[in-house]
Amino acid sequence: MRAWNLIKIYTVLVYIFMFAPVAVVLLLAFNSSRFGGFPIEGFSLRWFAKLFENEAIMRAFETSLILGVLTAFFATTLGILASLALVRFKVPGKEWITTLLISPVLVPETVLAVGLLIFLRWLSMPRSFAVLLLGHTMIALPFVVLVVQARLVGIRKEYEEAARSLGANPVQTFFQVTLPLLMPAVFAGALFAFTISFDNITATIFWRPAGSETVPTQIFGMLRNSVSPEINALGFVMIVITVGVPLMAGGLARYFSRKR
């Protein structure tokens, strides 16, 4: 019994160690002090106002949003097609293809980033937004494939066969039968892909073109000088997005599941 209590205390301490820095950032974002640290002098929203007046931060925020939306679109589209091929059809080497699609999750992100960068240099391709989008799609794709596959396995093939027997062609069957049943997984996969792209910094540092910043790389650059109150406000926005979007994905998935 004593050992079990020690395990519970240790677990609580680990969670405190993990989430205490997040709580500190959330708290200091509303500190009226210009030094961005303790002690807290008062409650203020002026750092959020200054944050949205900063052109560099707003450009980085716009870049991250565009990159995240495009990554979600391409990763979700490719993930749906790959899942359909692997679940509904007899594809030679299915196990190898599945392993290849999931491999970006297994490889350390730094190794993956350096490997793609070296490969692109061998092809004499400069770093660009397209390369950054390609890399983010590659990182997010395994998560979409895993989510969509798990949903597709639970959808009975008889539904699609019934639609085909009633005269629907494969395209009509997909859009009117299969895709509506897949929507919870599609929404969840797309939102997860957006979050992964929006929050990525390790690979983005290697792939981003010169002069282009995303929100994580902008924060990293600002931290080289000092921890300003604007960084705390920007961190608050990042935490809200990266935590809120997956929670929204889970909520939407449960909502569509109950509706269906």
Side-chain angles (χ1 to χ4, degrees):
M1 188 67 180
R2 183 179 180 184
W4 179 244
N5 290 332
L6 290 175
I7 292 175
K8 290 192 290 186
I9 294 172
Y10 178 76
T11 303
V12 172
L13 292 176
V14 169
Y15 276 105
I16 292 175
F17 179 79
M18 290 174 57
F19 292 104
V22 177
V24 169
V25 172
L26 295 176
L27 188 62
L28 292 179
F30 300 97
N31 187 8
S32 60
S33 173
R34 66 176 60 188
F35 299 105
F38 291 103
I40 297 177
E41 297 181 358
F43 180 86
S44 176
L45 296 175
R46 65 169 176 162
W47 304 119
F48 290 94
K50 287 185 175 293
L51 180 69
F52 291 107
E53 292 172 0
N54 191 317
E55 294 183 2
I57 293 177
M58 295 311 298
R59 282 197 303 269
F61 196 78
E62 181 181 357
T63 301
S64 290
L65 282 179
I66 295 173
L67 181 62
V69 170
L70 291 176
T71 299
F73 173 77
F74 287 112
T76 304
T77 303
L78 294 174
I80 292 172
L81 295 176
S83 299
L84 284 172
L86 294 172
V87 175
R88 287 291 187 256
F89 300 96
K90 294 181 179 180
V91 180
K94 181 184 297 187
E95 292 78 11
W96 289 100
I97 296 174
T98 302
T99 304
L100 181 64
L101 289 173
I102 300 176
S103 60
V105 179
L106 308 176
V107 179
E109 203 167 286
T110 304
V111 176
L112 187 66
V114 173
L116 180 60
L117 184 61
I118 294 174
F119 178 69
L120 293 174
R121 286 190 175 181
W122 180 70
L123 295 176
S124 300
M125 290 181 61
R127 292 187 297 176
S128 63
F129 184 82
V131 171
L132 184 59
L133 176 60
L134 174 64
H136 279 217
T137 302
M138 181 173 59
I139 293 174
L141 180 60
F143 297 93
V144 179
V145 170
L146 291 173
V147 172
V148 175
Q149 270 191 346
R151 175 68 177 175
L152 189 59
V153 168
I155 298 176
R156 297 174 59 183
K157 196 174 181 180
E158 286 79 3
Y159 297 148
E160 299 166 356
E161 293 174 350
R164 296 291 300 276
S165 67
L166 293 173
N169 58 42
V171 176
Q172 290 174 325
T173 301
F174 172 74
F175 282 104
Q176 297 182 16
V177 177
T178 309
L179 186 59
L181 294 173
L182 276 178
M183 284 310 294
V186 171
F187 269 111
L191 292 175
F192 278 127
F194 174 84
T195 305
I196 292 168
S197 172
F198 192 86
D199 197 37
N200 185 276
I201 183 173
T202 306
T204 303
I205 292 176
F206 290 92
W207 296 333
R208 65 183 174 86
S212 179
E213 300 285 354
T214 61
V215 175
T217 59
Q218 182 68 29
I219 294 176
F220 181 74
M222 294 170 66
L223 285 173
R224 293 178 180 177
N225 300 322
S226 63
V227 181
S228 66
E230 291 182 25
I231 295 179
N232 292 327
L234 185 57
F236 179 90
V237 175
M238 284 286 296
I239 292 170
V240 169
I241 293 176
T242 54
V243 174
V245 170
L247 290 177
M248 186 171 62
L252 286 173
R254 289 191 295 270
Y255 169 76
F256 281 113
S257 297
R258 289 196 299 266
K259 187 176 180 181
R260 294 296 172 188

